[in-house]
Amino acid sequence: MRLAAAARLWGPPGLLLTFALHPALCLRPGRTAAPPHRDYCVLGAGPAGLQMAYFLQRAGRDYAVFERAPRPGSFFARYPRHRRLISINKRHTGKANAEFNLRHDWNSLLSHDPQLLFRHYSRAYFPDAGDMVRYLGDFADRLRLRVLYNTTIAHVTLDKDRQAWNGHYFILTDQTGQAHRCSVLLVATGLWVPNQVDFPGSEHVEGYESVSVDPRDFEGQNVLILGRGNSAFETAENILGVTNFIHMLSRSRVRLSWATHYVGDLRAINNGLLDTYQLKSLDGLLESDLTDLAVVKDHEGKFRITLKFFLEESNQSADAITLPQDDNDNFAMRVAYDRVIRCLGWKFDFSIFNKSLRLSSSGEFSKKYPLVKASYESKGSRGLFVLGTASHSVDYRKSAGGFIHGFRYTVRAVHRLLEHRHHRVPWPSTEHPISQLTNSIVRRVNEASGLYQMFSVLADIILLKENATAFEYLEEFPMQMLAQLETITGRKAQHGLFVINMEYGRNFSGPDKDVFFYDRSVGHTEDAWQSNFLHPVIYYYRHLPTEQEVRFRPADWALPRPTAIHHIVEDFLTDWTAPVGHILPLRRFLENCLDTDLRSFYAESCFLFALTHQKLPPFCQQGYLRMQGLMGTESLRRHGIESGLLRDYATVGRPREDGGQRPVGSSPAPGLPVQPLDGNKEEL
Amino acid sequence: MMSSSFNIFRVGISFVIMCIFYKSAVDSLSELSPQKYFSTLQPGKASLAYFCQADSPRTSIFLEELNEAVTPLQDYGISVAKVNCVKEETSRYCGKEKDLMKAYLFSALLFNEVKYITTLEDLQNIENALKGKANIAFAYVRAIGTPEHRAVMEAAFVYGTTYQFVLTTETALLESIGNEDIENAHLYFFHCKQVLDLTLQCRRTLMEQPLTTLNIHQFIKTMEAPLLTEVTEDPQQVSTIHLQLGLPLVFIVSQQATYEADRRTAEWVAWRLLGKAGVLLLLRDSLEVDIPQHANVVFRRAEEGVPAEFLVLDDIDSLISHVESNVHVEEIQEDEDEDTKSPNMDVQDDEVAETVYRDRKRPLPLELTVELTEETFNTTVVASDSIVLFYAGWQAVSMAFLQSYIDLAIKLKGTSTMLLTRVNCADWSDLCTKQNVTEFPVVKMYKEGKNPVSYAGMLGTEDLLKFIQLSRISCPVNITSVQEAEEYLSGELYKDLISYSSVSVLGLFSPNMTTAKEDFTEAGNYLKGYVITGIYSEEDVLILSDKYAATLPALLLSRHKEGKIESIPLANSHAQDIIQIITNALLETFPEITVENLPIYLRLQKPLLILFSDGSINPQYKKAILMLVKEKHLDSLTPCWLNLKNTPVGRGILQSYFDTMPPLPLLVVVNLHSGGQVFAFPSDQPITEQNLLLWLKKLEAGLENHITILPAQEWKPPLPAYDFLSMMDAAASQHPTRKDPECTKETDVQENDKKQHEDKSAIIKEPIETLRIKHWNRSNWFKEGEKSFRHDNKEL
């Protein structure tokens, strides 16, 4: 991460030196002896950089990771200041399924080595940041990832070249002036430049990055904290018990992550101050735009809050400056503060990238994040991808793409994209007969972690083969790139497709919403579309949507309007395997999309159909006719006869009272109604 | 996850805020002042308020009842509160009378209100009051809280601003307006708006469908539609709300000359068909499309693509009955859809899923098989020869097969060297993926660290047992002496395996035929578990080839049942060819067809000649057919026979061919692969070689009639799916402003208290609604409450 932090330490002369040396050292000799070339260069050996390195290494690609620090994960060596990570390390779920367990492991990176799971590194539910540093170090070492430590990339430029994969090379210059030429640049430097707000008196403000973490330093003080994120509350939490009071100030109202389902909002683990504020302690929260404020130091060395325009009005000494309370004697911040601490988060370091890379643009949002497409490729330079926390603009405040448990999957998606683009390895897929369609979906929605973490960003895709007799299953495709699916994956989508996504209810959550309202859960399958909690949603398209359709989709829709849509009703246990509550409605949906019968049958039924019909249902065609019919046992047969779905043929043809003949096959009499086990009803 | 709820949340937001004013001794009935009550009304949330002067003894019973009703009402999302009318209170809900009892149902957004009435007089009063102003929807429901009641209230929520909703539960009232059917709920639409003469009665239209939200919506939509529309377009092109609602259109064809009379007729028809069909007046003179000369009525169904019918009808009654009979059919279908579709969609129609589900509570002796995990898998399959069943605990087909697998374990208990194991891929997903298992169920055999062999046979106990037994020997097995070869061919060598493989295959090669041997070995490997193969390539191989008249390289096939050994030359045959030769050799000339073996014979793609027999086949018939086979008369067919004792499902087949069970034995030819015709050998003729031959000749010449043709249709979805897309669309269009409950911030409420109250009362200009809760516990308090109810009806 923090590659170019060196620039700050050196100060301007260092940078100037680099510029001066650049033409001298690189360009001229560079023409004669080309700088060392690599197909893939990864900037930063943090979680995202190491994750990408892992995939590149497994694929046998030519790559290197550049890291300015001597060990991986240097961000975590310093942050969070109070050392407690807020990503959960759930070591027990009651399940053995490793993929499922990753849904509740927010710290591990993906690898084939089960020893490299975070639960082997910490027993704490909210682990210590030091464990993360140790974990990342082990990850790089055990997997022998090629990381060039102590290498600070100070400058990145483009070198146009028709031979290059992307029409240009990326030239990286390190602190020694050494240049590196890369075909593809993967930027995983994270967000590490502290956000600062410019207002008069901001020089009196201490930053989160350097403020003392020793509560004794705050004994009996009045503290004002600027910011309302997790770092602000973490800081407050640490000193809550020793200060006179803490006031917290920010522009927006506090967003609680349990109300927004966004892990980046204020986590309950940090919100002790909210509790005491609402319980009439002296601590409190205030809302105001920081840019309107000013901090002045009075003669006692205490800090007074005033408004910027008061300062502009008069040019007097600090003690004579107008304070808001002069006019408005109950102004909330009329007390003097001993300390003002800024905890305003971080932003991306744009400074090392040459303008020609067009990583940034104007606009408030893009000051924090570089501009990327939904495929994580830079909008400005082909072949430059942004990974990890810095790529969070794609799903900011929506999904988990800015966090390890989310970007470990988006990194994999980028890697799959690159494998196809540059090495003609199509997006991995498995092919199955159509009789396996329901199973494939049920399996994935019940265990897949990528879908679960990166809900509404990564989705599974099912591509139907001609006549819908078979299908290909593609995992975790960036769904906003759906229109470009064929070029990105190298797979054909000529005969229709399903998209399997996970979604929260439309209007369920958001800041200030009561997510505990009565009737918040839906139990009936016919109300599944009103499900509020995260649940699988399946879109069916006859044709691949176009780019236009994706871009101009209806508001609140994750994808363009499909031909048909199915919601699997939300489940308290996130276990969508109930035969009647979950699987049956899903099968009916798939059947109606494909206009076929996807039921499974015993061999005896297939035998009957084979001799009484010219055509067979897919299950019999793809199983029984290939000598893989399901024979069943006597006890199952008896149940079948009781249910009316099977007939007792031993008695057929004996004189029958009703004398009528049942239609054979296509519509077995429904028989006794089945009592569905509708656990959800009880739940309400 | 976050969806479990507790009682405390049931009370809803309004209750939480109301708590501040809560002081009554009543448990869950909140009590508050009128301003407070109005200020807490939630858009889109119904609440029931009870206004009272003070806790007078007369009202206490009512309060008790109301209190009991709190929970059931909250189940419907209606919050209940008691409002104290203090003396100076001027809210119009607080009446002056001391014993006043009213309960109001508010829907704060719309303030549509439903009047509850008990007598005919009430109804007439309302009717009179609204003449020339608004139409009335009058509903009778058997009791409050029934689904019909709820449907009416929901309709009132949507349409309450447009129509006056009136509700009764009084059977006498229903009877007094001429409806005797007190068992069912009814909805009348009173067309009062256009009544200008106050002495006239409003026209009434009875809704004939059952009271469901959808039906009421549809009914009211048709009431809103213009009674009669004049059109000059092609009837096929006209579109009205009726078509969208699935109702037909009736066009009365008119001409200039008779326009006035036609219009009167059409209006009359329109009144009679209101709610059943749309009526339009079609002006023939200005019409560009031709319609038949004599037709005076055009009838168009709602279904797309059905052409319009041109009718000549003499009187209105026949027109009405024509429409009604057609509509009726549709209605019944729709009703069936409504009644049977929704519940039936949730009924399992997958036989495997249903049987497995029904059997779920029977404990299986799973301990007979070893459950493997990610940790134990590799060591186990390396340490011992193992069969592994990969299955998924949630998948019905897997679980059905698991039962067969356990049965197999019971059979093999203590006798097999093969370890029976299983892996639940729902738990060990990664392990299954690593073993290349992505579908379920899959059986693999792991032997001596060699590449695992996937089992490709029927998923049943017998077939898997056969596979395991035949896999015991290597394939092909190496025969080392002529004597051993003879034992092998006679079946002596693998006596215990002969019952699993009726054929033993022996490849004969000179020692130097390396490629041929390799090919044969490959084929043998491929067929491992399905047939016994052996290889002999010693120097003295000529002894065998001479004896069996084989040219090397060659195959010897020993059919143990028939005691015959035949030889097939193998020159230049690749592994694939050898596999083909052996599989073909396994086919019998006149097999007994069973559930297990039918697919092999279907692969031949020939029509089946099946002899159905109740028990063993008559040797005479067998002989006759074998003769025909021998004389090559049956080359274009697959002759076989079916024993109904072994394969009872054969009865089902016969039943679909013949309406009643025919006498047995019976011979049929089933042309499965081209045309699907089924021909039956005449049952009055004895099955002899000559008769059969003659019949087959006639068949070939096309002189025989088929008895039936097998249906050729595709397998369609057995039932429709939920159309969530339409539901979402409907929700989006019906409640554009509806949002999820939002919590108003505490301070906002206080600050805006007054303002909100003013706003709200401005909206409640004419609160006409009174829904009286009555039947909560009829026997208890009916007598007590009766008088007072009568009393304040005057107010209505």
Side-chain angles (χ1 to χ4, degrees):
Chain A
M1 300 237 189
R2 302 182 299 145
L3 286 176
R8 240 178 100 98
L9 299 177
W10 297 349
L15 263 181
L16 283 179
L17 183 68
T18 316
F19 280 117
L21 287 175
H22 194 257
L25 283 182
C26 303
L27 287 182
R28 295 239 172 92
R31 288 296 171 217
T32 49
H37 173 86
R38 286 202 169 80
D39 288 347
Y40 296 96
C41 294
V42 183
L43 286 192
L50 295 180
Q51 185 67 80
M52 186 45 120
Y54 168 75
F55 290 121
L56 290 169
Q57 175 134 324
R58 291 286 281 183
R61 301 299 164 213
D62 172 33
Y63 80 95
V65 183
F66 299 91
E67 168 60 47
R68 63 171 292 278
R71 290 294 290 156
S74 58
F75 183 88
F76 290 100
R78 188 164 182 197
Y79 301 116
R81 294 294 314 284
H82 305 89
R83 307 315 286 149
R84 186 166 60 170
L85 296 177
I86 52 175
S87 44
I88 60 172
N89 174 40
K90 197 165 172 57
R91 296 180 305 127
H92 303 288
T93 62
K95 298 210 183 193
N97 190 318
E99 176 70 15
F100 175 88
N101 286 343
L102 273 178
R103 289 181 171 188
H104 305 287
D105 173 352
W106 292 6
N107 298 291
S108 297
L109 295 179
L110 304 176
S111 78
H112 59 281
D113 185 349
Q115 279 312 304
L116 285 174
L117 285 173
F118 199 80
R119 60 188 163 95
H120 302 304
Y121 288 78
S122 171
R123 298 178 62 83
Y125 190 47
F126 292 103
D128 189 85
D131 293 329
M132 177 55 82
V133 177
R134 195 161 53 87
Y135 171 76
L136 294 174
D138 271 14
F139 190 86
D141 295 347
R142 279 181 71 112
L143 298 167
R144 299 171 190 282
L145 303 178
R146 291 193 285 279
V147 186
L148 304 175
Y149 294 107
N150 301 310
T151 309
T152 308
I153 298 302
H155 199 63
V156 181
T157 55
L158 274 185
D159 183 12
K160 293 246 185 282
D161 189 331
R162 279 195 197 159
Q163 301 294 310
W165 288 353
N166 293 299
H168 49 241
Y169 290 110
F170 298 93
I171 308 295
L172 278 51
T173 311
D174 67 22
Q175 79 276 20
T176 63
Q178 169 70 44
H180 306 265
R181 194 179 76 164
C182 316
S183 299
V184 173
L185 179 61
L186 301 151
V187 178
T189 51
L191 306 177
W192 66 269
V193 180
N195 267 326
Q196 308 208 22
V197 177
D198 191 26
F199 55 82
S202 54
E203 68 275 10
H204 303 306
V205 171
E206 293 172 272
Y208 170 76
E209 60 277 6
S210 57
V211 72
S212 162
V213 294
D214 186 353
R216 284 172 299 185
D217 295 343
F218 297 86
E219 209 64 69
Q221 297 190 348
N222 303 345
V223 178
L224 177 66
I225 296 179
L226 308 179
R228 184 132 315 163
N230 278 302
S231 61
F233 275 92
E234 168 202 319
T235 308
E237 187 88 4
N238 185 47
I239 55 175
L240 198 53
V242 296
T243 53
N244 296 336
F245 54 80
I246 302 170
H247 287 170
M248 298 187 76
L249 178 69
S250 84
R251 178 170 44 197
S252 55
R253 290 165 64 174
V254 65
R255 296 164 51 98
L256 298 163
S257 64
W258 49 260
T260 59
H261 299 309
Y262 174 65
V263 287
D265 284 330
L266 179 58
R267 300 285 304 282
I269 179 177
N270 278 335
N271 70 8
L273 185 132
L274 289 187
D275 189 59
T276 51
Y277 166 48
Q278 296 294 5
L279 295 175
K280 56 196 184 304
S281 74
L282 290 168
D283 308 311
L285 281 94
L286 299 152
E287 279 99 34
S288 166
D289 196 335
L290 299 181
T291 51
D292 295 340
L293 296 180
V295 175
V296 288
K297 201 171 186 177
D298 66 14
H299 60 279
E300 289 171 14
K302 298 211 169 191
F303 302 111
R304 296 278 182 174
I305 304 301
T306 183
L307 300 172
K308 206 193 238 170
F309 71 88
F310 286 143
L311 285 189
E312 287 157 0
E313 277 173 2
S314 56
N315 217 352
Q316 304 155 354
S317 68
D319 287 321
I321 287 174
T322 319
L323 295 175
Q325 54 264 39
D326 299 342
D327 293 333
N328 196 353
D329 61 7
N330 64 350
F331 176 63
M333 287 182 289
R334 60 186 180 276
V335 288
Y337 295 98
D338 297 296
R339 278 167 186 262
V340 182
I341 307 169
R342 156 178 58 73
C343 305
L344 298 171
W346 295 268
K347 60 185 179 190
F348 183 72
D349 177 20
F350 290 95
S351 67
I352 62 168
F353 297 96
N354 186 286
K355 279 247 158 55
S356 60
L357 277 86
R358 291 185 288 166
L359 258 187
S360 71
S361 76
S362 53
E364 202 52 41
F365 189 60
S366 59
K367 278 186 188 158
K368 188 173 171 77
Y369 293 110
L371 275 176
V372 292
K373 302 186 217 167
S375 58
Y376 300 93
E377 187 164 19
S378 155
K379 283 185 180 168
S381 325
R382 187 177 157 89
L384 192 160
F385 290 84
V386 179
L387 310 175
T389 307
S391 69
H392 196 25
S393 59
V394 170
D395 59 345
Y396 184 62
R397 284 197 169 151
K398 291 192 186 84
S399 205
F403 310 91
I404 294 176
H405 64 288
F407 65 61
R408 62 190 181 205
Y409 301 104
T410 58
V411 166
R412 182 159 68 183
V414 169
H415 176 250
R416 285 171 175 166
L417 180 156
L418 291 169
E419 283 293 295
H420 176 245
R421 184 189 277 182
H422 299 305
H423 312 286
R424 299 196 176 176
V425 179
W427 196 281
S429 79
T430 50
E431 192 171 331
H432 305 277
I434 205 74
S435 52
Q436 292 287 332
L437 185 59
T438 320
N439 289 335
S440 299
I441 297 176
V442 172
R443 178 181 185 178
R444 284 287 293 170
V445 301
N446 277 297
E447 65 178 33
S449 173
L451 286 186
Y452 192 80
Q453 312 288 21
M454 290 307 295
F455 62 90
S456 301
V457 177
L458 298 180
D460 283 2
I461 311 281
I462 290 175
L463 301 175
L464 294 165
K465 296 285 181 181
E466 198 167 359
N467 299 326
T469 52
F471 64 92
E472 273 183 301
Y473 200 104
L474 279 67
E475 296 178 359
E476 294 163 21
F477 181 80
M479 59 194 273
Q480 293 313 313
M481 299 302 286
L482 192 59
Q484 294 90 333
L485 178 119
E486 292 192 335
T487 48
I488 288 177
T489 63
R491 307 275 174 193
K492 291 280 164 236
Q494 304 295 318
H495 307 286
L497 65 153
F498 291 98
V499 179
I500 292 101
N501 187 30
M502 302 277 253
E503 292 175 13
Y504 281 101
R506 288 268 162 79
N507 295 315
F508 173 42
S509 53
D512 304 328
K513 280 192 178 166
D514 175 17
V515 286
F516 295 107
F517 65 89
Y518 174 64
D519 259 0
R520 65 185 177 279
S521 102
V522 162
H524 296 280
T525 50
E526 68 264 35
D527 301 328
W529 62 280
Q530 291 172 312
S531 294
N532 282 318
F533 203 74
L534 195 65
H535 63 283
V537 182
I538 295 120
Y539 295 75
Y540 171 62
Y541 295 95
R542 285 216 180 83
H543 310 284
L544 198 62
T546 63
E547 238 179 299
Q548 291 284 308
E549 284 167 345
V550 174
R551 188 175 308 157
F552 300 110
R553 62 185 185 270
D556 298 342
W557 282 71
L559 283 174
R561 189 181 167 85
T563 311
I565 196 167
H566 182 71
H567 290 252
I568 302 182
V569 69
E570 59 188 329
D571 190 81
F572 189 60
L573 304 173
T574 62
D575 177 356
W576 290 280
T577 58
V580 173
H582 302 135
I583 301 178
L584 179 65
L586 173 65
R587 169 168 64 79
R588 296 216 191 287
F589 166 74
L590 299 171
E591 280 172 337
N592 282 280
C593 289
L594 304 176
D595 200 27
T596 187
D597 184 336
L598 293 177
R599 286 179 292 179
S600 45
F601 296 96
Y602 286 108
E604 191 182 72
S605 302
C606 292
F607 176 82
L608 176 76
F609 301 156
L611 289 173
T612 55
H613 290 69
Q614 293 192 47
K615 298 199 168 113
L616 288 185
F619 187 85
C620 293
Q621 266 179 42
Q622 295 169 354
Y624 179 70
L625 282 194
R626 293 181 186 166
M627 289 299 291
Q628 296 184 24
L630 178 65
M631 298 305 291
T633 62
E634 194 44 45
S635 104
L636 291 172
R637 250 180 69 80
R638 276 200 308 276
H639 284 297
I641 291 163
E642 276 166 28
S643 73
L645 289 169
L646 292 178
R647 286 174 72 192
D648 185 4
Y649 290 102
T651 62
V652 168
R654 312 275 179 253
R656 279 166 51 150
E657 295 94 85
D658 56 350
Q661 187 210 347
R662 263 184 209 160
V664 181
S666 58
S667 55
L672 302 166
V674 188
Q675 279 302 318
L677 232 202
D678 205 339
N680 283 313
K681 282 175 194 159
E682 265 85 48
E683 198 182 287
L684 297 173
Chain B
M1 280 241 152
M2 308 185 64
S3 47
S4 69
S5 51
F6 308 95
N7 267 335
I8 187 151
F9 291 110
R10 292 201 160 171
V11 185
I13 297 145
S14 49
F15 176 68
V16 174
I17 301 171
M18 286 173 192
C19 283
I20 310 159
F21 311 98
Y22 177 88
K23 61 172 185 178
S24 160
V26 184
D27 274 355
S28 46
L29 189 62
S30 59
E31 195 173 318
L32 57 167
S33 80
Q35 290 105 320
K36 277 300 149 196
Y37 176 70
F38 291 118
S39 68
T40 53
L41 286 175
Q42 292 282 318
K45 276 265 181 189
S47 73
L48 179 81
Y50 159 63
F51 294 83
C52 67
Q53 298 293 85
D55 273 354
S56 68
R58 285 195 206 194
T59 56
S60 64
I61 299 167
F62 173 81
L63 272 184
E64 267 172 40
E65 298 299 328
L66 189 61
N67 200 30
E68 272 179 37
V70 168
T71 315
L73 276 172
Q74 278 159 357
D75 284 343
Y76 285 100
I78 300 171
S79 58
V80 180
K82 180 179 147 189
V83 179
N84 260 332
C85 296
V86 285
K87 271 182 189 167
E88 58 276 18
E89 177 52 47
T90 52
S91 166
R92 43 165 321 186
Y93 290 97
C94 289
K96 297 278 180 318
E97 286 146 293
K98 260 195 171 177
D99 55 350
L100 174 73
M101 287 203 294
K102 280 186 192 172
Y104 292 90
L105 182 112
F106 284 110
S107 186
L109 183 68
L110 294 173
F111 280 97
N112 46 54
E113 294 162 291
V114 177
K115 280 194 188 190
Y116 180 84
I117 56 166
T118 50
T119 63
L120 187 60
E121 198 191 344
D122 300 338
L123 184 61
Q124 281 162 351
N125 288 341
I126 297 171
E127 210 178 317
N128 286 333
L130 290 175
K131 274 176 192 166
K133 290 178 192 140
N135 294 327
I136 300 171
F138 168 62
Y140 161 81
V141 293
R142 288 189 64 201
I144 303 289
T146 56
E148 290 82 10
H149 171 237
R150 196 179 174 194
V152 172
M153 298 313 288
E154 279 172 14
F157 179 80
V158 179
Y159 296 103
T161 44
T162 323
Y163 308 109
Q164 175 61 54
F165 276 72
V166 180
L167 187 71
T168 189
T169 53
E170 288 297 330
T171 53
L173 175 54
L174 184 73
E175 281 161 2
S176 65
I177 64 165
N179 196 328
E180 305 274 306
D181 180 17
I182 58 161
E183 288 302 306
N184 291 309
H186 298 284
L187 182 78
Y188 285 89
F189 194 86
F190 285 29
H191 304 264
C192 291
K193 199 170 180 179
Q194 71 250 52
V195 179
L196 298 174
D197 182 349
L198 294 184
T199 58
L200 289 179
Q201 255 205 346
C202 305
R203 264 179 197 276
R204 295 171 185 179
T205 310
L206 173 65
M207 173 173 154
E208 291 184 351
Q209 291 94 337
L211 263 68
T212 64
T213 312
L214 193 70
N215 284 342
I216 296 177
H217 162 74
Q218 183 170 345
F219 176 70
I220 289 182
K221 282 280 172 208
T222 57
M223 295 301 118
E224 281 174 347
L227 185 67
L228 184 66
T229 321
E230 285 185 20
V231 289
T232 55
E233 292 163 75
D234 177 2
Q236 209 64 264
Q237 305 301 328
V238 175
S239 177
T240 72
I241 181 92
H242 300 92
L243 286 181
Q244 289 160 25
L245 293 172
L247 296 174
L249 294 183
V250 174
F251 298 83
I252 310 286
V253 183
S254 167
Q255 286 163 8
Q256 201 87 57
T258 58
Y259 174 78
E260 284 305 322
D262 291 338
R263 195 177 162 89
R264 275 197 301 280
T265 314
E267 257 173 39
W268 211 80
V269 170
W271 276 115
R272 298 243 342 231
L273 288 177
L274 192 58
K276 293 170 198 153
V279 179
L280 301 94
L281 197 64
L282 185 67
L283 305 175
R284 188 195 282 269
D285 303 315
S286 39
L287 192 66
E288 285 175 5
V289 199
D290 271 349
I291 54 171
Q293 202 44 224
H294 299 288
N296 55 5
V297 171
V298 183
F299 183 64
R300 182 166 157 218
R301 288 164 199 277
E303 294 87 2
E304 262 181 64
V306 181
E309 295 169 45
F310 297 95
L311 307 170
V312 186
L313 293 172
D314 301 328
D315 59 308
I316 290 172
D317 282 339
S318 58
L319 168 61
I320 305 278
S321 67
H322 179 84
V323 175
E324 279 183 343
S325 63
N326 278 299
V327 172
H328 196 58
V329 175
E330 281 165 22
E331 267 173 10
I332 285 174
Q333 281 169 350
E334 271 173 25
D335 285 353
E336 267 176 1
D337 279 355
E338 283 304 313
D339 292 346
T340 57
K341 190 203 286 172
S342 346
N344 259 5
M345 279 163 81
D346 282 343
V347 171
Q348 184 63 267
D349 51 4
D350 182 310
E351 58 193 42
V352 181
E354 179 62 14
T355 50
V356 168
Y357 184 74
R358 283 178 180 241
D359 205 42
R360 71 195 181 281
K361 288 195 174 158
R362 189 169 64 93
L364 286 176
L366 286 173
E367 66 282 358
L368 294 176
T369 57
V370 180
E371 184 172 16
L372 299 184
T373 68
E374 220 146 63
E375 287 83 40
T376 58
F377 181 84
N378 282 323
T379 50
T380 309
V381 298
V382 167
S384 50
D385 294 350
S386 324
I387 294 281
V388 185
L389 165 64
F390 296 91
Y391 67 106
W394 48 264
Q395 196 226 8
V397 176
S398 282
M399 294 314 279
F401 181 54
L402 180 63
Q403 296 209 358
S404 304
Y405 192 66
I406 298 297
D407 286 353
L408 176 72
I410 294 170
K411 272 195 180 171
L412 283 177
K413 199 173 175 182
T415 63
S416 176
T417 53
M418 194 67 82
L419 189 66
L420 292 186
T421 67
R422 63 196 156 84
V423 174
N424 185 349
C425 295
D427 290 336
W428 307 104
S429 187
D430 287 355
L431 170 61
C432 298
T433 314
K434 271 183 208 146
Q435 296 301 317
N436 219 359
V437 175
T438 52
E439 297 167 11
F440 317 111
V442 164
V443 176
K444 290 194 179 204
M445 185 171 63
Y446 293 78
K447 225 175 164 183
E448 298 151 15
K450 282 184 200 159
N451 282 341
V453 180
S454 288
Y455 170 67
M458 288 282 177
L459 302 175
T461 310
E462 291 306 318
D463 293 79
L464 185 56
L465 177 65
K466 176 181 157 184
F467 175 78
I468 292 173
Q469 297 293 23
L470 292 180
S471 298
R472 273 171 25 202
I473 54 166
S474 56
C475 206
V477 62
N478 209 15
I479 307 287
T480 50
S481 71
V482 172
Q483 197 200 345
E484 198 188 3
E486 293 290 6
E487 280 174 19
Y488 174 82
L489 289 171
S490 70
E492 281 298 306
L493 191 58
Y494 295 116
K495 233 177 182 169
D496 50 337
L497 296 183
I498 297 307
S499 58
Y500 300 109
S501 174
S502 57
V503 176
S504 293
V505 181
L506 183 62
L508 297 181
F509 303 93
S510 312
N512 57 350
M513 296 174 169
T514 37
T515 9
K517 275 196 282 186
E518 274 168 22
D519 278 332
F520 181 78
T521 310
E522 194 187 328
N525 268 319
Y526 182 85
L527 293 168
K528 183 175 183 168
Y530 302 99
V531 65
I532 304 175
T533 56
I535 186 166
Y536 189 72
S537 70
E538 300 297 321
E539 295 294 345
D540 55 359
V541 68
L542 287 176
I543 302 174
L544 285 171
S545 63
D546 286 351
K547 182 177 175 189
Y548 296 105
T551 348
L552 296 179
L555 277 187
L556 293 184
L557 288 171
S558 169
R559 298 181 189 277
H560 300 298
K561 256 194 257 169
E562 297 153 45
K564 281 197 300 189
I565 294 173
E566 52 185 294
S567 78
I568 300 167
L570 267 190
N572 296 325
S573 301
H574 295 293
Q576 277 304 317
D577 307 324
I578 300 170
I579 291 167
Q580 196 60 51
I581 290 167
I582 297 175
T583 2
N584 284 346
L586 292 177
L587 297 178
E588 296 174 42
T589 42
F590 184 48
E592 182 195 335
I593 208 82
T594 60
V595 171
E596 287 91 334
N597 71 12
L598 177 72
I600 318 175
Y601 290 96
L602 286 182
R603 278 182 201 163
L604 300 174
Q605 296 277 318
K606 293 179 193 169
L608 296 176
L609 171 75
I610 314 175
L611 177 71
F612 286 89
S613 169
D614 197 3
S616 300
I617 188 170
N618 182 330
Q620 294 287 322
Y621 305 153
K622 188 172 180 177
K623 206 174 143 199
I625 289 170
L626 285 175
M627 271 316 275
L628 287 172
V629 171
K630 205 173 174 189
E631 288 160 13
K632 307 228 174 264
H633 292 302
L634 297 181
D635 282 1
S636 60
L637 299 171
T638 303
C640 57
W641 67 285
L642 190 148
N643 185 344
L644 290 175
K645 289 237 156 59
N646 295 336
T647 314
V649 63
R651 293 179 191 280
I653 295 166
L654 284 176
Q655 234 183 22
S656 83
Y657 294 169
F658 305 90
D659 280 343
T660 51
M661 263 310 265
L664 294 173
L666 178 92
L667 241 172
V668 295
V669 166
V670 188
N671 191 358
L672 278 176
H673 303 284
S674 51
Q677 301 92 343
V678 180
F679 302 92
F681 181 74
S683 55
D684 50 354
Q685 288 183 26
I687 302 174
T688 64
E689 210 184 314
Q690 290 80 11
N691 287 346
L692 255 174
L693 192 58
L694 200 65
W695 181 66
L696 289 172
K697 287 259 156 64
K698 274 160 86 183
L699 253 187
E700 212 171 321
L703 297 173
E704 281 288 321
N705 285 330
H706 55 79
I707 50 164
T708 183
I709 293 186
L710 302 182
Q713 77 264 37
E714 300 286 343
W715 285 75
K716 297 287 178 191
L719 282 174
Y722 294 117
D723 186 357
F724 289 140
L725 208 52
S726 308
M727 294 186 202
M728 290 158 86
D729 288 346
S733 60
Q734 270 179 20
H735 305 291
T737 52
R738 190 172 160 181
K739 278 185 187 167
D740 279 295
E742 277 181 285
C743 188
T744 330
K745 214 180 148 190
E746 202 180 344
T747 48
D748 293 347
V749 173
Q750 282 160 2
E751 281 166 18
N752 299 334
D753 206 6
K754 223 175 179 179
K755 198 174 163 230
Q756 274 191 5
H757 182 207
E758 282 161 12
D759 288 349
K760 291 270 157 74
S761 35
I763 303 167
I764 323 167
K765 269 182 189 155
E766 281 295 309
I768 23 175
E769 147 207 13
T770 49
L771 168 70
R772 184 160 306 111
I773 301 299
K774 189 170 172 188
H775 295 289
W776 294 116
N777 199 340
R778 205 177 170 126
S779 57
N780 259 354
W781 73 295
F782 184 67
K783 283 169 206 155
E784 191 74 25
E786 201 169 25
K787 281 176 197 165
S788 43
F789 276 125
R790 288 269 156 78
H791 216 82
D792 47 44
N793 282 335
K794 281 171 199 161
E795 255 210 1
L796 307 168

